[in-house]
Amino acid sequence: MRPITRRQFLQDSAVALASLALGDRLAAVLAGQEAPIPIGAVYPLTGALARIGAVIRNAIELAVDIVNTPYPDLNLPLARTAGLPRLGGRRIRVVWGDSRGDPATGRAEAERLIEQERVVALIGSYQSAVTATASLAAEARGIPFLNAESSSPRLTERGFKWFFRTGPHDITFTQIMFDMVEDLKRKGHRILRVAVLAEDTEFGATAAGVAKGFAQARGYQLVAMELYTSPPSSLTAELLRIRAANPDFVIGANYLVDAIVITRTLKEMRWFPQGFLTHAGFTTVPDYLNAVGKDGYYFLARAPWALGIGRRKPLVLRVNELYKRRYGSDMDEVAARAFTGMLTLADAINRAGSTQPAAIQRALRETRIPADQLIMPWRGIEFDSKGQNRHATGVMVQILEGEYKVVWPFEVAEAQLVWPAPPWDRR
Amino acid sequence: MDLLLPAATSGLVLGLVYALVALGLSFIWGVMDVVNLAHAEYLMLAMYATYWLWALGRIEPALATPIVVPVFFAFGWVTYRLLIRRILQAPLAAQIFATFGLLFVLRYAAFFAFGPNVYGIWSAQAAGSTSVLGVPIAAPKVHAALVSLAAFGALSLFLRHTKTGKALRACAQNREVALTLGIPVDRMYALSWGIGIASVALAGVFLLPFYQVSPTIGDAFLLVAFASVVLGGFGRVDGALVGGVCIGLLENVLGTLLSPTFKFLFVFVAFVAILLVRPQGLLGEGGR
């Protein structure tokens, strides 16, 4: 070991003491950098939704890392540079708030982050109910709030000035079904008659109402609309009636158990419409195919995102690879949406060139992120006057050969959409 | 007309399935005047048992009958010895709360053991289809309907022509007199729980090939089973058969012809109307 001289010792101690005394800021200046910009994130980190909260946290931290360190080969906003170039390379840092899945706690956490942590913007909060209250705190204090995952249409109908949503909402999910059918009509399919089969609580009844509205607005004939109570002991009466109405396609809003009854009853009746499009959450659950096997093929479901779009969009696979290397599992749709939300917010702060909330708000309004810089199946990100991303959409997946394959929009499809679905005796 | 026949045929088949589910409820209710609110939870557990035998042991449901049914007979017997016997003399409210509590214990035990996932089987037996009166019906539904008829027939013969059966009927008619005649009433009660739970397990075995199981699946059948028993008539086993078939037919025929959304409204309007005219149910014998 080299002996330490008296002079050296004094020098080193002085630097160390100065760093300790003046804290992060001086240390950062000494390191040639200012303190990172604090961004607040309010999510359910504990409680019943903690698992989803952890996924979101992973996705957001990956996005922050992509902003803060250079990834020269990634075509994402702020990936190639270190930190925010228009703010002299300053880094960003996330300050976490735990909503515990509760609207009141979410709001209190948002207030704490704004007032005590001095965050320049907020991102959150997964559940629509928590997003509604947490964004209220931001609106009252004039802090931008970016939401990436909540799906209640009401959130962007409140006329808030500081609220922005990158992801799609529930009405979008019905819209994409009709958009897909429009595309099919353009390809020469004759599709006019639609039937709706939905469970009769908030989820199903709302979706049924929205489907009815789209059918009327776009000139389809709504030939049957049947609501039932879940779990149903039988859906024979409902499906006999729908079959008698002879729809070209059926829109379903059903729970998993209902979907199994529907599948089996359709098979029993030896009838299948040209297409059966569902809002069902069962798309992500293997239980469905375990229960019905091959009989579940050709059903279509909407999804906000699917890893399968990576086949046509290599960027998705590259980001998924980074994610998987860090966390050991594939990205899911919630992760993809949260990741995109964080990058959008960082992009706005960079373009604002300032940490002033009003400048960030203005930059968010002027956001123009093109499709090729997104891991989402969207045509881009641009906010309308209500703060909703006008390009937010989803994908349609179809069960083909035992897997969920992205089949629409056609430009990101990984497999050919099978339409009309083959009759039972030719499967 | 092209709607009526398929609706009536599936209504009849479905009604027989409802009747099979209701059989055990009706039997226990008839013999000892205890309303078992946890009835449909035994159905759920029997479906799980059948599922796991199929998933782990590759035993087809029909072949699982000789395993599942005796096990549930014992399960019913044990339920009686541990719980029901202690509340026989208790007020009606206590009995209701006891079986209601049992419902939650069994349901959340299933949640704990199997998780909230939904399981169904997909096998050769489940895939077949037959034609009834020219209407295609899934083969497993027809099997369940036939098993239902057989179960009602067998139970009816047992009650009429065996000594034990007669003893059970004596207990149902008058507990005290049965006691003075030297009938072991306590054993008869345990037996009726065994038979009641075994028969709902039989329903579970034959339901699984066309109906999936999850911890809350009892909700789909409990109300229908109760309505079948009340509509058909208390104290008579074949009442559940008539009640179940009536509900299946009303639900499917009126539901299909008028509006499926209100199918259970039709069922329960008819239910109330019939009970106003015949409070003892369709087959019931006088007031109790």
Side-chain angles (χ1 to χ4, degrees):
Chain A
M1 212 169 105
R2 197 160 57 93
I4 298 174
T5 65
R6 191 182 140 100
R7 177 175 294 250
Q8 252 177 343
F9 176 78
L10 281 175
Q11 266 179 356
D12 290 355
S13 320
V15 171
L17 275 174
S19 319
L20 277 174
L22 295 170
D24 285 352
R25 194 171 178 84
L26 188 65
V29 170
L30 286 176
Q33 237 181 356
E34 279 192 271
I37 300 164
I39 298 172
V42 180
Y43 284 103
L45 302 177
T46 59
L49 293 169
R51 203 189 64 80
I52 291 169
V55 167
I56 291 172
R57 187 174 185 146
N58 287 347
I60 286 182
E61 277 171 354
L62 176 62
V64 167
D65 185 55
I66 285 174
V67 170
N68 285 345
T69 50
Y71 283 81
D73 58 337
L74 273 187
N75 184 27
L76 285 168
L78 304 170
R80 294 198 173 96
T81 49
L84 305 179
R86 296 225 193 142
L87 280 140
R90 261 181 91 179
R91 289 156 182 263
I92 56 171
R93 152 176 94 87
V94 176
V95 190
W96 294 94
D98 181 7
S99 72
R100 285 182 272 148
D102 169 57
T105 312
R107 182 176 182 164
E109 282 292 276
E111 284 165 356
R112 177 181 70 82
L113 294 178
I114 295 168
E115 280 161 10
Q116 292 173 28
E117 303 287 343
R118 300 274 155 207
V119 298
V120 303
L122 283 166
I123 185 167
S125 296
Y126 183 67
Q127 299 146 281
S128 291
V130 180
T131 302
T133 57
S135 61
L136 217 53
E139 188 75 12
R141 288 161 184 78
I143 296 285
F145 191 104
L146 190 128
N147 168 252
E149 320 87 358
S150 304
S151 68
S152 165
R154 203 178 61 84
L155 290 171
T156 39
E157 296 299 326
R158 296 177 298 175
F160 278 19
K161 302 264 178 297
W162 300 85
F163 186 78
F164 299 85
R165 169 160 56 193
T166 45
H169 53 71
D170 290 335
I171 293 174
T172 327
F173 288 134
T174 304
Q175 188 188 335
I176 66 171
M177 294 182 173
F178 280 90
D179 286 349
M180 185 189 84
V181 172
E182 293 291 318
D183 275 1
L184 286 166
K185 280 166 75 178
R186 256 175 244 126
K187 288 191 155 188
H189 293 280
R190 279 180 52 83
I191 307 166
L192 177 66
R193 299 160 71 84
V194 55
V196 176
L197 176 61
E199 64 88 36
D200 61 4
T201 63
E202 179 73 23
F203 159 59
T206 308
V210 174
K212 185 180 175 183
F214 271 101
Q216 282 165 352
R218 298 198 177 183
Y220 290 88
Q221 249 177 289
L222 182 67
V223 293
M225 178 150 141
E226 308 300 350
L227 302 181
Y228 62 86
T229 305
S230 178
S233 52
S234 146
L235 287 172
T236 305
E238 287 79 355
L239 286 165
L240 276 173
R241 221 178 142 81
I242 286 179
R243 180 180 71 172
N246 192 25
D248 297 318
F249 68 108
V250 179
I251 291 182
N254 323 101
Y255 292 118
L256 173 61
V257 284
D258 321 349
I260 297 171
V261 176
I262 290 170
T263 309
R264 288 180 167 161
T265 308
L266 287 175
K267 185 178 188 195
E268 178 178 48
M269 290 168 33
R270 297 174 192 163
W271 177 75
F272 205 85
Q274 286 185 33
F276 200 115
L277 286 59
T278 68
H279 276 289
F282 69 80
T283 50
T284 51
V285 193
D287 293 14
Y288 174 67
L289 279 183
N290 287 343
V292 298
K294 281 185 167 177
D295 296 343
Y297 289 12
Y298 307 111
F299 276 87
L300 284 148
R302 49 77 168 169
W305 182 86
L307 191 54
I309 64 175
R311 205 165 145 197
R312 299 280 282 275
K313 247 184 140 149
L315 179 65
V316 175
L317 297 182
R318 299 268 279 287
V319 172
N320 185 58
E321 213 173 281
L322 291 173
Y323 185 92
K324 201 170 181 174
R325 201 181 306 151
R326 280 169 83 119
Y327 308 117
S329 66
D330 284 322
M331 282 185 112
D332 62 15
E333 50 96 1
V334 178
R337 282 192 278 175
F339 175 86
T340 303
M342 189 66 216
L343 283 185
T344 307
L345 187 55
D347 170 73
I349 297 171
N350 179 52
R351 280 182 295 103
S354 149
T355 54
Q356 287 302 311
I360 298 170
Q361 178 204 35
R362 202 175 319 115
L364 274 166
R365 285 202 183 128
E366 291 162 2
T367 297
R368 298 272 184 282
I369 301 179
D372 62 354
Q373 292 185 26
L374 291 175
I375 60 165
M376 306 306 290
W378 308 338
R379 289 208 314 276
I381 297 178
E382 270 182 86
F383 296 105
D384 65 16
S385 59
K386 292 170 176 168
Q388 172 64 36
N389 173 17
R390 62 176 87 233
H391 302 302
T393 178
V395 295
M396 293 297 294
V397 297
Q398 189 171 36
I399 306 176
L400 296 169
E401 301 300 322
E403 283 178 56
Y404 299 96
K405 295 281 191 188
V406 178
V407 292
W408 187 90
F410 295 133
E411 59 270 22
V412 293
E414 57 177 324
Q416 178 96 37
L417 169 64
V418 177
W419 187 289
W424 290 104
D425 52 8
R426 278 198 270 126
R427 291 189 176 190
Chain B
M1 204 59 209
D2 55 338
L3 271 183
L4 184 60
L5 187 64
T9 315
S10 11
L12 177 67
V13 170
L14 189 66
L16 287 168
V17 175
Y18 287 167
L20 181 58
V21 173
L23 173 60
L25 182 70
S26 166
F27 187 66
I28 293 171
W29 201 338
V31 171
M32 51 200 290
D33 251 347
V34 170
V35 179
N36 179 19
L37 289 168
H39 184 70
E41 306 311 306
Y42 289 96
L43 177 77
M44 176 265 296
L45 291 174
M47 288 172 79
Y48 271 114
T50 313
Y51 174 79
W52 289 116
L53 285 173
W54 176 82
L56 302 178
R58 290 286 141 193
I59 298 174
E60 288 288 323
L63 301 178
T65 313
I67 305 169
V68 175
V69 170
V71 167
F72 276 75
F73 179 90
F75 193 3
W77 187 292
V78 168
T79 307
Y80 172 78
R81 303 293 292 194
L82 291 184
L83 177 69
I84 306 302
R85 190 153 73 136
R86 290 157 211 266
I87 54 161
L88 271 182
Q89 307 304 327
L92 185 64
Q95 295 185 357
I96 289 175
F97 284 123
T99 59
F100 198 48
L102 183 61
L103 180 157
F104 284 104
V105 169
L106 296 179
R107 174 171 299 186
Y108 288 96
F111 259 118
F112 181 73
F114 312 119
N117 299 47
V118 177
Y119 296 102
I121 65 168
W122 184 64
S123 67
Q125 197 201 341
S129 171
T130 51
S131 178
V132 178
L133 303 172
V135 177
I137 306 259
K141 279 190 190 169
V142 178
H143 298 160
L146 294 176
V147 165
S148 173
L149 285 172
F152 274 95
L155 190 60
S156 185
L157 288 176
F158 168 72
L159 288 177
R160 260 187 227 149
H161 299 291
T162 65
K163 212 170 163 191
T164 318
K166 287 176 185 161
L168 276 167
R169 279 161 62 206
C171 293
Q173 276 163 12
N174 194 316
R175 184 174 181 269
E176 277 70 34
V177 175
L179 265 176
T180 56
L181 290 174
I183 295 172
V185 171
D186 192 49
R187 274 240 320 271
M188 288 298 122
Y189 280 178
L191 179 65
S192 69
W193 267 79
I195 294 173
I197 300 305
S199 68
V200 77
L202 186 66
V205 169
F206 281 88
L207 204 53
L208 191 71
F210 64 92
Y211 205 93
Q212 62 292 337
V213 59
S214 66
T216 56
I217 210 63
D219 290 347
F221 293 94
L222 184 63
L223 192 60
V224 179
F226 267 97
S228 304
V229 175
V230 177
L231 186 62
F234 299 98
R236 284 194 55 161
V237 166
D238 48 0
L241 182 65
V242 173
V245 169
C246 281
I247 288 174
L249 283 172
L250 281 169
E251 172 195 334
N252 260 18
V253 174
L254 293 184
T256 306
L257 296 183
L258 301 175
S259 166
T261 302
F262 301 114
K263 62 186 185 184
F264 282 108
L265 178 68
F266 305 139
V267 168
F268 285 99
V269 165
F271 177 81
V272 170
I274 290 170
L275 289 191
L276 282 177
V277 183
R278 280 187 69 86
Q280 69 274 37
L282 288 172
L283 298 187
E285 294 140 351
R288 283 166 68 96

